[in-house]
Amino acid sequence: MSAPIIIIGSGFGSYQLIKTIRRIDQHIPITVFTLDEGHDYNKPDLSHVFSNQQSSADLIRLSAQEFASENNITLHAFTQVDCIDSDQQAVFVKGVAYPYTKLVLATGAKTFVPPMLGNATDKVITLNSLREFETAQLQLQNAQRILVIGAGIIGTEIAMDLNRCGKSVVVVDPSNGLMATMLPDIVASVLQKKMTETGVEFEFGRTISSLNQTGSGICATLSSGKTHIVDCVISAAGLKANVGLAQKSGFKVNNGLVVNQQLQTSVNNVYALGDCAEINGKVMSYLQPIMLSANALAKTLLGQPTDLKLPAMLVKVKTPQMPIQLGGNTVIDVASWQVDIDALGCSVKAYNEQKEIIGFVVTEGHMKNTFPLLRALPANL
């Protein structure tokens, strides 16, 4: 029997790849090594678990055992791969070699926690996986005052969700507004106003200097000197690709694992997928590019080398009080805006210096404009 395809990681990208392979080939051997349980769950649901009053168990679509059985794979849960020998084409776990024909690194990313002083820095919660949510869910259920570090897409979604289920929320971010790299001010200010009206407090242009445990909770001291007493602190300050194993094994790494158009790393027969992969200089931690990457990579792994072609990407922001969808470049490289605003919401088109449309944002009642605008955008690659 030939060596299997080995996949390291069991997140969305990994399992999407396995499902795609199995639609084409039911029998090629696949082995998965993962640091967690290996359950199949929908990660985007983590953004609204609180208002939906869900537990970690509610998010599981298939248990690890069910997924492994249904997709005919060998799953090694709670297992760390120590190193990769690309000459020998094997991964090593506690000194045991597991040969592969093709290797896929789907090691994901971890939440960045900014450096802070104080005796409560080890109490910062991150929510980038089912396992992290499971660990923190009781503490978050009991907390009434929560500080969120980061006003990007994840921080904004989590803050709104916590607020909607009755928590007192303060958001701290060094930028000047919500989702500063994604939303033009005209949209960000409306979203901020809606969230402020429901009780969310914002501290923009600030960082956290220290976190200290006190008798009445965690005292967060901001760079301005102002303090907030809270029950818990969540970091949503961005993601850092998990590339430690790849770096140790001599792979080319930048912000993520550098891959070509077929998602192959700098090492022959080794590929990267999802939050750890850097494609054309970008790590794209969104469902659409990961799904398209998994579909292309499945064909490549099965002997039909396929270049990844990414159209303009649609991003849906899960903020129920003000639904938002956007695509293309919406802040960076924008020379001018065209705004159509009314009582129902707004459509904002972004143009470059050559007066070509390069991005858009639509909100609330303007969702019908999403797909015509998406089709008007140039492809990413």
Side-chain angles (χ1 to χ4, degrees), residues 64-87:
Q65 294 75 19
E66 289 168 337
F67 184 86
S69 172
E70 193 169 292
N71 291 281
N72 185 26
I73 64 169
T74 302
L75 178 67
H76 297 269
F78 302 112
T79 302
Q80 179 163 329
V81 173
D82 300 314
C83 66
I84 301 162
D85 186 330
S86 51
D87 294 329

Side-chain angles (χ1 to χ4, degrees), residues 17 19 35 50 55 65 74 94-95 119 127 135 142 153 166 174 195 221 232 253 258 286 296 331 339 342 344 347 352:
L17 176 63
K19 292 170 191 174
L35 288 171
F50 307 109
S55 70
Q65 294 75 19
T74 302
K94 294 181 179 173
N119 64 15
L127 294 173
T135 303
N142 293 333
I153 185 169
M195 293 177 71
T221 303
C232 63
V253 168
V258 178
Y286 298 106
V331 173
V339 181
D342 58 28
L344 298 176
S347 299
N352 61 15

Side-chain angles (χ1 to χ4, degrees), residues 158-169:
I158 287 173
M160 182 175 281
D161 196 53
L162 287 164
N163 174 246
R164 289 178 77 218
C165 68
K167 312 285 189 186
S168 169
V169 181

Side-chain angles (χ1 to χ4, degrees), residues 128-304:
N128 192 45
S129 68
L130 183 68
R131 195 176 180 187
E132 289 166 278
F133 173 60
E134 189 173 27
T135 303
Q137 68 180 12
L138 188 60
Q139 186 182 350
L140 289 167
Q141 280 167 7
N142 293 333
Q144 283 308 308
R145 305 162 298 174
I146 299 175
L147 185 146
V148 177
I149 305 172
I153 185 169
I154 302 299
T156 301
E157 290 175 349
I158 287 173
M160 182 175 281
D161 196 53
L162 287 164
N163 174 246
R164 289 178 77 218
C165 68
K167 312 285 189 186
S168 169
V169 181
V170 58
V171 179
V172 179
D173 194 284
S175 70
N176 292 321
L178 281 168
M179 296 170 56
T181 62
M182 299 177 77
L183 293 182
D185 290 343
I186 191 169
V187 179
S189 59
V190 176
L191 178 59
Q192 182 180 336
K193 183 172 182 286
K194 284 180 181 286
M195 293 177 71
T196 302
E197 284 169 353
T198 62
V200 179
E201 187 176 349
F202 293 98
E203 294 278 6
F204 287 119
R206 307 277 187 267
T207 56
I208 295 179
S209 302
S210 64
L211 293 176
N212 286 289
Q213 187 66 55
T214 70
S216 54
I218 297 171
C219 177
T221 303
L222 306 188
S223 51
S224 62
K226 186 175 177 181
T227 59
H228 289 272
I229 303 291
V230 295
D231 300 313
C232 63
V233 176
I234 298 172
S235 181
L239 298 175
K240 290 184 74 173
N242 291 324
V243 294
L245 175 64
Q247 272 179 318
K248 186 167 71 170
S249 305
F251 292 50
K252 186 178 179 185
V253 168
N254 189 22
N255 291 322
L257 259 158
V258 178
V259 298
N260 65 14
Q261 295 305 109
Q262 293 178 7
L263 299 173
Q264 182 169 292
T265 66
S266 56
V267 174
N268 199 32
N269 290 326
V270 183
Y271 302 81
L273 176 69
D275 290 356
C276 69
E278 181 177 317
I279 306 162
N280 278 12
K282 289 182 185 173
V283 178
M284 288 181 269
S285 304
Y286 298 106
L287 292 190
Q288 190 181 358
I290 294 174
M291 285 182 73
L292 293 172
S293 297
N295 293 344
L297 183 54
K299 293 174 187 171
T300 296
L301 296 176
L302 295 173
Q304 304 166 37

